[in-house]
Amino acid sequence: AMSYGSISMESHSTLALAMNRIGGKSNTGEGGEDPERWEQMTAEGSMRSSIKQVASGRFGVTIEYLVNSDETQIKMAQGAKPGEGGELPGKKVNELIAKTRHSTPGVGLISPPPHHDIYSIEDLAELIYDLKSSNPRGNVSVKLVSEAGVGVVAAGVAKGKADHILVSGYDGGTGASRWTGIKHAGLPWELGIAETHQTLVLNGLRGRVQLETDGGIRNGRDVLIAALLGAEQYGLATAPLIAMGCIMMRKCHLNTCPVGIATQDPVLRAKFEGKPEHVVNYLMLVAEETRTLLARLGFRSINEAVGRADRLTAASGPMKLWRESMGLDLNLECITAAAHKMEGAGLIGTVDSIKVQNQDHQMEKRLDMQLLKQAEPVFADPSKRVEIHAKVTNVDRAVGTTLSSELVRQLGRYVFERKEGGVSPQPDGIHVEVKLQGSAGQSLGAFLAKGVRIEVEGDSNDYCGKGLSGGHVTVFPPKESTFDAEKNMIIGNVALYGATAGKAFFRGVAAERFCVRNSGAQAVVEGVGDHGCEYMTGGVAVVLGPTGINFAAGMSGGLAFIYSPGEDREHAEKEFKKRCNMEMVEFFPVGQEEDDEALLQGLLSEHKERTGSTVASRILSNWADEKKNFIKVYPTDFRLVREEMRAKEAQKAKQAPEADNLSDKATTNEGGDTASDSSSPKEGKRSLAASAATSIDIEDMKPKRPDTVEKPIKLRGFIEYERGPQKWRNPKERVGDFNEIYIKKKDIKKLQTQAARCMDCGIPFCQSKPRGCPLGNFIPEWNCLVRDGHWKAALGRLLATNNFPEFTGRVCPAPCEGSCTLGIIDDPVTIKNIECEIIDRAFANGWMIPSPPPARTGKKVAIIGSGPAGMAAADQLNKMGHSVTVFERADRPGGLMTYGVPNMKADKEDVVLRRVRLMEDEGVKFVCGTAGAVGKPGGPTADALKREFDTVLLATGSTVARDLNVPGREATGIHKAMDYLTTSTQTLLSRDDKTGERKSYEAEAAQIHAKGKKVVVLGGGDTGTDCIGTAIRQGAVSVKALEIMPQPPAKRAAHNPWPQWPLIFRKDYGHQEREVLEGSDPRQYLMSTKEFIKGDNGEIKGLKVVQVEWQRESPSSPWKMAEVPGSEEVYEADLVLLALGFLHPEKTLAEQFGIRCDNRGNYLAQYGQGGTGPDRNGQGFRTNVEGIFAAGDCRRGQSLVVWAITEGRMASDAVNEFLCAEDPVARSMSCSNMEHRAAALKAMGA
């Protein structure tokens, strides 16, 4: 049950629509329900919730609310937080919620942990009776929590005549539950429902009640297990929310739900896209699975399966192994035994497994039946008024409740005056006046409706005026009595608990817990016991006598006036303060607000008139002096909100005349004459507003959000601020050099503002595999630190998971941003820019200093390949204390980062080689060039490495590029993209042998050069973009890029939902540069190359291409490419670059080391880490050859830099496990080194 308030109106009503369509039941939760939802039928159906919940807070529990229910549920506790009361923060209490809950907008609401009218099973039975009296046609349900002994409690509830019992498990609940409750309270629903069913069967009570369970039920299997354990009904909440779009943000209490479900923010509610069909479709699938499983077990209906726990067996296989590994000796026989077969079944009552009979509530044996009969003239003719006289005794409970129920059913429009013709024909609104003599039983006037007045000459028991809903209750001593009424009890405990409207006058003293959770009633009493006005949120309580202790505890709204006579006012106030809980209230004199005196005097006058009170008479007779003896108890938050509301109303009133004046001016012609109403729009002058509306562009009228502020806020940052990635250098300037495209000087305030857009998700998809960052970067954490200016601490969190943020921050396409939760409703957080600035700032400030491991293990590791995977593994293994040597066949280390990524994306000297130098200073050895070419002439052999090193890790990357074998491929001037980029970078980095200075690019022309040529790039992706950017800088005459696939959409397609990587149209730096220089984007889609055209000397002169389209016969059949007839074209080309991706690593090393390859040609090695656990199979990254490991693209295939670093880190764990498996000394040293590393990161302040 999710209340309106905890979730939005849109999501709450969508659930109701869905359940009403399929004949299910939705639950209001404890937040009440707007009457419009049960009065109106929308085009989509009814939004009425069948189950109306009555919780300890009694929010919105009125007689009308109860009458419009099929089932009334008493919420004894919540499964996700048993023993804890709920709380709705003030920021989520908007005007409609406040109206529904009968409270004040902006003031927080607290549900007390217990029901104050339930302190025993007898009290619960009384509430069941009261609710049944309020709606005899509906059922009464009791919600319990799965815990040890719940079966005994349920037996008492069944004897208390509940029609339905819900046993709620500890899973589920909103994200607003406290961690203590989520983690440590309650039990699984399976245990609770099994115990409850068994106890009820053995005590002959099962046939009287329906059993339901909830708490994380997700699918048909869960439903069937619940049935077998004894449940007839099944509650689902979390899963339907997910069907409507919930992403488990777990920020329900902060009012910042980005998908408009658990929020009242109008901006975020507008983001809600859930539909009833989504919930219906989901539940149909659950039903279908349930039906399938029922048939598999041989059951024809769900009722046949209820209670057949003997059809359950404990899971074997992996679950059994897990239980054994955890040392769990679980004996499940206690819950898998069928209750109807247990010893003792049938000794008491009958043996039933489902409800077979209704509870006997004895509704016909009530005083209200007599009242209803005498009130029939009013039901027939509302203009009549009936006065009823009767005797009452203490066995007459809930007097007036059923009368109110029928009054609401038959005369609702007169009682509530909401519908057409709804004004009551009675001057004072009273249709039925009941005058009783005697001692009324419990719950006199419970949920008494507007239009009914009950007067008791005598006294009343507990719960008098409970849930008062507009009616009037008066209790006074017999007129012939001689005792002092103000010194004697007149009503029992918990009077006016949960009252929402109406008036009550009691000539005498009330017992404990008077006006608890009163939210609208006005009451006068002549003394109260302990805990008066506790948790009160509205209404007025006047106490003309002494109070008990703990007065006003948790009081967040309403007013209380306490009569405390005495000549020394300061002393009287001090004495009362000892008995008052001052945590949420303040004291003021009467007259602090201008209407205080009139309000108080009016209530006292009515109290005197109704009850003959001598106390009220004495005070009124000397009002000028006596009013000073009153202490006004005023909740602080309530006062502040009311003052703010009055200030706004005053401001509106002040602005109204000005607006009228402006309106008059707006309709006046230039000559001073007022435009005639009959003049046409063409003839008359337009108003100022109309003129402004037509002169302003619609786009300009949209509110602009800043992307940079001085002091960004965190809570609503994603709403308040626009995405603002760091800008690149001007395209016209940057194409003239190979320097990095990024602006060096970063806007720090902008970065901090962007960090404030991070929502700090409860489940951060940005850092979660497989969709987000595979490294598991602590993105929300370092975003928060950056926002607060703690850059060094942010560095510590960043380096805890990422060895080379300067690489990923520059060249990674940012899957973290693609899976950012904010991307569902808005542009994602600019994670990549922040990551890059953290590490660049660290190098600039000297925080990145060499930190060799304190000790060496004596183990030696050889790594072949110095790309991101090899470098990451080397860095990690070195930190563990192993001696690492990296072999690289190129003349410089860095692999892909050095020669595969052009300098304008990642500077080779200032970024890549800076990191290499740092690693060398920490002890990593790099062997490059001929000496590092393993298996090649001049380089070490595979056997030599195996002899010299304890283990070898292959991290060579995927280096065999995909080719295009079409006619004319042999023409000169056709090159693979990586060859082109490599020679370009080699030329850029070449230095004079004598001076050591870098040669100019023009002086050392690259082997493959684009200057003065018409360049065509085949293929897309980052490599294709890099070719475009490099060719432009080399002086190409023109650049085109042809892609065989269709152009991606501007926004996610239906088959590409979040959190998948968004397959959308993007414009990278190379595309932007070409567009600036040549006037258009270089890419052309759906183009296939049929032939390369050669010149006389065998050089490339052009390409013959054809347009294609992708077709398939049905949604389930594969796509097929077809040429478009007559679409052939010829493009001129002097240089063709093939950026078609990579296939696999070269086979040479595999053959020399004797390792196997998979069917794609990649080195065959299992994914995973050493050790045990779900991702640790003990064989991670091992090849078929002992001591030889493989990681990165050579193992997984062409991938991203971030995945290469991830594999390098994971492989280092596997290698370390291998090295230390039989060497406890090495293991101890390795662990000590990593602890030293963790301590160093912690010292940064992370």
Side-chain angles (χ1 to χ4, degrees):
M2 296 159 293
S3 63
Y4 167 49
S6 68
I7 62 176
S8 64
M9 173 61 79
E10 291 79 3
S11 51
H12 202 274
S13 56
T14 297
L15 284 172
L17 283 167
M19 298 310 292
N20 289 334
R21 283 187 191 180
I22 62 174
K25 296 179 182 178
S26 65
N27 194 317
T28 60
E30 63 177 286
E33 187 171 70
D34 192 316
E36 289 185 5
R37 287 179 55 178
W38 64 66
E39 289 176 348
Q40 298 179 4
M41 177 70 74
T42 68
E44 294 185 284
S46 172
M47 294 188 292
R48 170 183 177 271
S49 295
S50 299
I51 304 172
K52 303 289 195 293
Q53 199 173 79
V54 177
S56 61
R58 304 291 163 94
F59 298 118
V61 179
T62 66
I63 184 64
E64 188 184 19
Y65 172 82
L66 299 173
V67 166
N68 284 282
S69 70
D70 299 328
E71 184 177 296
T72 308
Q73 184 178 87
I74 303 170
K75 178 183 177 181
M76 292 299 296
Q78 181 168 315
K81 49 182 178 185
E84 298 181 21
E87 181 175 356
L88 190 67
K91 57 180 171 285
K92 293 187 78 170
V93 184
N94 61 24
E95 290 187 6
L96 185 54
I97 289 173
K99 172 176 169 284
T100 304
R101 295 194 178 204
H102 296 264
S103 64
T104 305
V107 178
L109 298 173
I110 302 171
S111 295
H115 286 255
H116 284 283
D117 55 351
I118 302 175
Y119 285 87
S120 68
I121 201 71
E122 291 80 12
D123 291 336
L124 175 59
E126 177 59 34
L127 181 55
I128 292 171
Y129 182 83
D130 298 341
L131 294 176
K132 191 69 177 180
S133 299
S134 71
N135 185 4
R137 305 179 192 181
N139 288 328
V140 179
S141 169
V142 176
K143 180 178 181 178
L144 304 175
V145 165
S146 177
E147 58 183 352
V150 67
V152 176
V153 177
V157 172
K159 290 178 181 179
K161 299 190 178 180
D163 303 298
H164 176 279
I165 297 174
L166 165 62
V167 180
S168 188
Y170 65 0
D171 284 329
T174 67
S177 301
R178 296 180 184 273
W179 274 115
T180 51
I182 292 173
K183 293 292 185 183
H184 306 296
L187 291 173
W189 58 263
E190 292 91 340
L191 297 178
I193 194 65
E195 180 184 341
T196 300
H197 176 74
Q198 291 173 10
T199 304
L200 293 179
V201 170
L202 293 176
N203 286 275
L205 299 169
R206 182 64 181 86
R208 298 190 198 178
V209 295
Q210 280 187 319
L211 281 187
E212 179 186 343
T213 192
D214 69 16
I217 292 178
R218 302 280 198 274
N219 52 41
R221 180 178 181 273
D222 292 341
V223 169
L224 183 54
I225 290 174
L228 296 174
L229 292 174
E232 293 160 89
Q233 295 183 355
Y234 321 95
L236 297 88
T238 304
L241 285 185
I242 292 172
M244 290 195 303
C246 171
I247 52 173
M248 300 299 286
M249 179 81 174
R250 296 191 182 278
K251 298 294 176 184
C252 311
H253 59 299
L254 296 180
N255 202 32
T256 57
C257 175
V259 290
I261 291 178
T263 181
Q264 305 308 322
D265 189 306
V267 175
L268 295 175
R269 284 170 54 194
K271 308 289 186 182
F272 179 72
E273 296 183 354
K275 296 180 180 179
E277 296 79 44
H278 299 157
V279 180
V280 170
N281 291 343
Y282 160 71
L283 292 175
M284 288 297 183
L285 292 171
V286 172
E288 183 179 353
E289 184 186 7
T290 305
R291 178 65 267 178
T292 302
L293 295 174
L294 281 170
R296 189 178 299 171
L297 290 177
F299 295 121
R300 292 169 296 180
S301 68
I302 198 77
N303 280 349
E304 287 185 13
V306 173
R308 292 298 307 275
D310 53 318
R311 301 300 299 275
L312 287 168
T313 57
S316 56
M319 286 303 299
K320 182 179 180 181
L321 293 174
W322 176 81
R323 290 196 301 268
E324 292 174 352
S325 69
M326 298 295 292
L328 298 176
D329 183 17
L330 296 178
N331 183 355
L332 300 177
E333 293 181 4
C334 58
I335 65 171
T336 57
H340 62 281
K341 297 179 181 178
M342 285 184 171
E343 182 180 353
L347 295 180
I348 303 175
T350 59
V351 178
D352 301 303
S353 292
I354 60 173
K355 182 176 181 178
V356 295
Q357 66 183 73
N358 293 324
Q359 295 275 23
D360 182 10
H361 294 276
Q362 299 183 336
M363 288 287 102
E364 69 283 355
K365 301 177 181 179
R366 307 180 60 245
L367 179 59
D368 267 49
M369 297 300 104
Q370 177 185 337
L371 302 182
L372 281 170
K373 190 170 184 179
Q374 295 186 50
E376 285 179 356
V378 173
F379 299 141
D381 183 0
S383 64
K384 293 185 178 180
R385 182 184 181 121
V386 171
E387 185 174 300
I388 302 171
H389 294 263
K391 297 288 184 179
V392 67
T393 66
N394 60 7
V395 298
D396 294 317
R397 299 183 290 160
V399 174
T401 303
T402 305
L403 172 64
S404 296
S405 173
E406 285 304 309
L407 192 71
V408 169
R409 286 187 194 280
Q410 298 190 40
L411 303 183
R413 64 176 180 162
Y414 297 117
V415 172
F416 299 104
E417 300 179 3
R418 278 198 304 272
K419 300 178 182 178
E420 186 178 349
V423 179
S424 173
Q426 302 301 329
D428 58 357
I430 301 298
H431 293 265
V432 180
E433 187 162 9
V434 180
K435 296 189 175 183
L436 305 172
Q437 285 186 315
S439 294
Q442 293 178 333
S443 301
L444 169 72
F447 309 108
L448 196 68
K450 182 180 179 182
V452 182
R453 178 186 292 148
I454 293 181
E455 180 183 284
V456 176
E457 183 180 349
D459 55 30
S460 179
N461 214 311
D462 295 340
Y463 323 130
C464 179
K466 174 195 295 185
L468 190 67
S469 300
H472 293 190
V473 177
T474 303
V475 183
F476 55 88
K479 293 174 182 176
E480 64 272 13
S481 62
T482 58
F483 58 82
D484 293 333
E486 65 270 23
K487 296 180 181 178
N488 289 272
M489 290 286 179
I490 191 75
I491 55 174
N493 292 310
V494 203
L496 299 174
Y497 177 34
T500 57
K503 292 184 178 180
F505 302 98
F506 304 115
R507 185 184 174 190
V509 179
E512 295 185 1
R513 297 183 176 85
F514 179 78
C515 269
V516 172
R517 272 295 297 119
N518 174 29
S519 60
Q522 296 179 335
V524 182
V525 68
E526 300 184 354
V528 297
D530 296 342
H531 314 294
C533 296
E534 195 174 16
Y535 298 107
M536 186 164 148
T537 63
V540 180
V542 179
V543 182
L544 303 179
T547 68
I549 61 171
N550 202 36
F551 187 88
M555 181 179 176
S556 61
L559 299 173
F561 295 94
I562 311 301
Y563 181 61
S564 183
E567 294 183 3
D568 188 345
R569 295 306 309 140
E570 186 176 341
H571 175 74
E573 188 173 303
K574 189 178 293 184
E575 286 300 308
F576 175 60
K577 189 173 285 188
K578 294 177 182 178
R579 301 189 301 278
C580 185
N581 189 315
M582 300 298 295
E583 184 178 358
M584 299 176 67
V585 299
E586 304 168 290
F587 291 167
F588 293 96
V590 172
Q592 179 255 344
E593 292 176 323
E594 62 181 25
D595 55 349
D596 284 352
E597 193 169 336
L599 172 66
L600 180 57
Q601 195 171 16
L603 287 172
L604 290 177
S605 298
E606 192 168 356
H607 180 62
K608 173 188 172 184
E609 179 186 348
R610 295 286 174 202
T611 67
S613 170
T614 57
V615 178
S617 178
R618 184 176 69 248
I619 293 172
L620 290 169
S621 65
N622 189 23
W623 178 247
D625 293 329
E626 289 287 6
K627 68 180 180 180
K628 301 174 184 177
N629 291 326
F630 281 93
I631 299 171
K632 179 181 178 182
V633 182
Y634 206 165
T636 303
D637 288 349
F638 182 60
R639 176 180 63 80
L640 294 174
V641 168
R642 289 184 71 182
E643 288 175 357
E644 184 180 345
M645 291 169 66
R646 279 195 289 266
K648 288 180 179 178
E649 289 172 1
Q651 184 67 22
K652 285 182 181 179
K654 182 180 178 182
Q655 291 174 347
E658 297 176 2
D660 292 341
N661 189 32
L662 180 64
S663 177
D664 292 340
K665 292 180 180 178
T667 56
T668 302
N669 293 332
E670 293 177 356
D673 299 326
T674 302
S676 171
D677 291 340
S678 61
S679 62
S680 68
K682 292 182 179 179
E683 295 169 346
K685 295 287 186 181
R686 293 180 300 171
S687 69
L688 294 177
S691 299
T694 55
S695 63
I696 298 175
D697 187 87
I698 293 296
E699 290 298 321
D700 295 334
M701 295 175 66
K702 292 182 179 179
K704 302 291 186 182
R705 299 185 298 176
D707 63 6
T708 308
V709 296
E710 186 66 25
K711 293 182 178 180
I713 60 171
K714 174 66 178 172
L715 187 60
R716 286 173 51 87
F718 70 97
I719 303 172
E720 301 291 338
Y721 311 131
E722 194 69 63
R723 174 182 166 94
Q726 290 293 315
K727 294 181 179 178
W728 294 331
R729 295 160 54 209
N730 188 302
K732 292 184 178 179
E733 295 177 3
R734 69 181 190 238
V735 296
D737 58 57
F738 280 83
N739 297 329
E740 285 193 340
I741 61 175
Y742 321 106
I743 295 175
K744 289 288 185 184
K745 189 175 180 180
K746 302 295 192 301
D747 185 340
I748 301 306
K749 289 298 180 184
K750 183 174 185 177
L751 287 168
Q752 290 180 308
T753 304
Q754 294 305 303
R757 296 184 74 238
C758 177
M759 298 187 291
D760 190 20
C761 308
I763 300 178
F765 282 83
C766 59
Q767 65 183 49
S768 307
K769 288 189 260 188
R771 302 299 182 189
C773 177
L775 284 167
N777 282 332
F778 302 127
I779 294 169
E781 294 182 38
W782 43 257
N783 271 336
C784 184
L785 291 167
V786 165
R787 179 187 67 89
D788 295 336
H790 304 309
W791 290 91
K792 195 168 185 179
L795 175 68
R797 297 311 286 148
L798 179 56
L799 293 180
T801 56
N802 189 352
N803 299 71
F804 313 125
E806 66 270 37
F807 296 173
T808 54
R810 284 171 165 82
V811 305
C812 181
C816 52
E817 294 185 14
S819 60
C820 173
T821 305
L822 183 54
I824 300 174
I825 60 166
D826 203 343
D827 293 327
V829 179
T830 53
I831 300 168
K832 184 175 168 180
N833 294 154
I834 298 169
E835 175 185 29
C836 197
E837 178 58 22
I838 293 172
I839 190 66
D840 285 352
R841 177 174 285 249
F843 274 107
N845 290 341
W847 300 338
M848 297 297 293
I849 57 176
S851 180
R856 291 289 177 184
T857 63
K859 304 293 184 181
K860 297 171 64 179
V861 181
I863 297 178
I864 304 175
S866 65
M871 287 182 68
D875 194 38
Q876 287 294 103
L877 289 165
N878 181 64
K879 286 178 171 59
M880 294 172 185
H882 308 305
S883 298
V884 182
T885 302
V886 180
F887 293 88
E888 170 58 58
R889 65 183 180 182
D891 60 340
R892 292 176 178 83
L896 172 75
M897 288 303 302
T898 297
Y899 288 125
V901 176
N903 201 76
M904 52 272 197
K905 282 178 69 175
D907 191 280
K908 307 312 164 193
E909 290 285 349
D910 297 340
V911 176
V912 182
L913 296 181
R914 177 183 64 182
R915 174 60 71 169
V916 170
R917 289 191 292 270
L918 179 63
M919 291 176 65
E920 288 177 328
D921 292 342
E922 291 181 339
V924 178
K925 182 180 179 182
F926 290 91
V927 180
C928 299
T930 303
V934 179
K936 299 290 178 69
T941 64
D943 290 337
L945 291 184
K946 286 194 282 186
R947 285 194 302 269
E948 184 179 351
F949 294 91
D950 296 295
T951 185
V952 177
L953 172 63
L954 304 179
T956 60
S958 183
T959 54
V960 177
R962 182 177 283 106
D963 209 335
L964 183 61
N965 295 313
V966 298
R969 172 62 183 87
E970 68 279 4
T972 58
I974 302 174
H975 302 278
K976 293 179 179 176
M978 200 53 62
D979 295 336
Y980 171 63
L981 295 174
T982 298
T983 58
S984 174
T985 302
Q986 284 175 335
T987 304
L988 185 69
L989 295 179
S990 62
R991 295 178 180 275
D992 189 281
D993 294 335
K994 294 180 180 179
T995 65
E997 295 295 326
R998 181 181 291 186
K999 296 180 181 179
S1000 69
Y1001 194 83
E1002 293 298 328
E1004 184 73 25
Q1007 180 184 350
I1008 310 171
H1009 207 281
K1011 185 174 182 179
K1013 296 180 180 178
K1014 298 173 182 176
V1015 179
V1016 175
V1017 180
L1018 300 183
D1022 290 341
T1023 304
T1025 301
D1026 293 339
C1027 288
I1028 295 169
T1030 302
I1032 291 172
R1033 283 162 176 77
Q1034 289 181 344
V1037 173
S1038 66
V1039 182
K1040 284 187 174 65
L1042 308 181
E1043 298 190 32
I1044 199 169
M1045 299 304 294
Q1047 179 176 325
K1051 296 182 178 180
R1052 286 182 185 268
H1055 63 272
N1056 178 220
W1058 175 91
Q1060 293 179 7
W1061 172 250
L1063 301 173
I1064 59 174
F1065 183 76
R1066 293 179 172 83
K1067 190 171 290 185
D1068 211 333
Y1069 75 99
H1071 312 134
Q1072 183 192 63
E1073 291 165 358
R1074 199 272 195 175
E1075 190 171 39
V1076 169
L1077 295 178
E1078 298 188 35
S1080 62
D1081 193 292
R1083 292 167 289 183
Q1084 297 183 35
Y1085 293 91
L1086 293 172
M1087 304 297 289
S1088 175
T1089 302
K1090 299 190 69 174
E1091 181 183 352
F1092 294 114
I1093 302 173
K1094 295 186 292 186
D1096 295 338
N1097 298 317
E1099 75 281 8
I1100 184 70
K1101 297 299 289 184
L1103 302 86
K1104 183 181 291 185
V1105 300
V1106 64
Q1107 292 182 21
V1108 298
E1109 57 183 8
W1110 293 89
Q1111 305 168 340
R1112 59 179 176 178
E1113 296 175 358
S1114 68
S1116 58
S1117 59
W1119 289 96
K1120 295 181 180 180
M1121 187 182 74
E1123 295 183 1
V1124 178
S1127 63
E1128 290 85 358
E1129 293 182 73
V1130 174
Y1131 289 149
E1132 294 183 19
D1134 303 314
L1135 177 64
V1136 176
L1137 303 174
L1138 305 180
L1140 304 174
F1142 299 87
L1143 298 171
H1144 49 70
E1146 297 167 31
K1147 296 287 193 290
T1148 308
L1149 288 177
E1151 294 168 355
Q1152 292 186 0
F1153 280 98
I1155 62 176
R1156 291 196 289 267
C1157 296
D1158 62 19
N1159 55 8
R1160 294 187 300 159
N1162 298 318
Y1163 300 156
L1164 185 60
Q1166 241 181 329
Y1167 178 75
Q1169 294 173 298
T1172 58
D1175 213 22
R1176 299 169 179 267
N1177 51 29
Q1179 302 296 318
F1181 302 95
R1182 297 190 182 196
T1183 67
N1184 58 295
V1185 179
E1186 182 73 8
I1188 308 299
F1189 294 78
D1193 288 5
C1194 68
R1195 188 206 67 82
R1196 67 180 288 118
Q1198 176 183 340
S1199 189
L1200 306 177
V1201 168
V1202 69
W1203 267 108
I1205 297 174
T1206 301
E1207 291 229 346
R1209 290 174 60 89
M1210 295 174 68
S1212 70
D1213 288 340
V1215 170
N1216 181 63
E1217 183 69 23
F1218 172 79
L1219 293 172
C1220 301
E1222 298 180 3
D1223 191 338
V1225 175
R1227 183 182 296 277
S1228 176
M1229 295 177 72
S1230 173
C1231 292
S1232 177
N1233 288 331
M1234 293 310 289
E1235 289 171 2
H1236 172 79
R1237 169 67 175 168
L1241 294 177
K1242 188 175 181 181
M1244 292 180 177

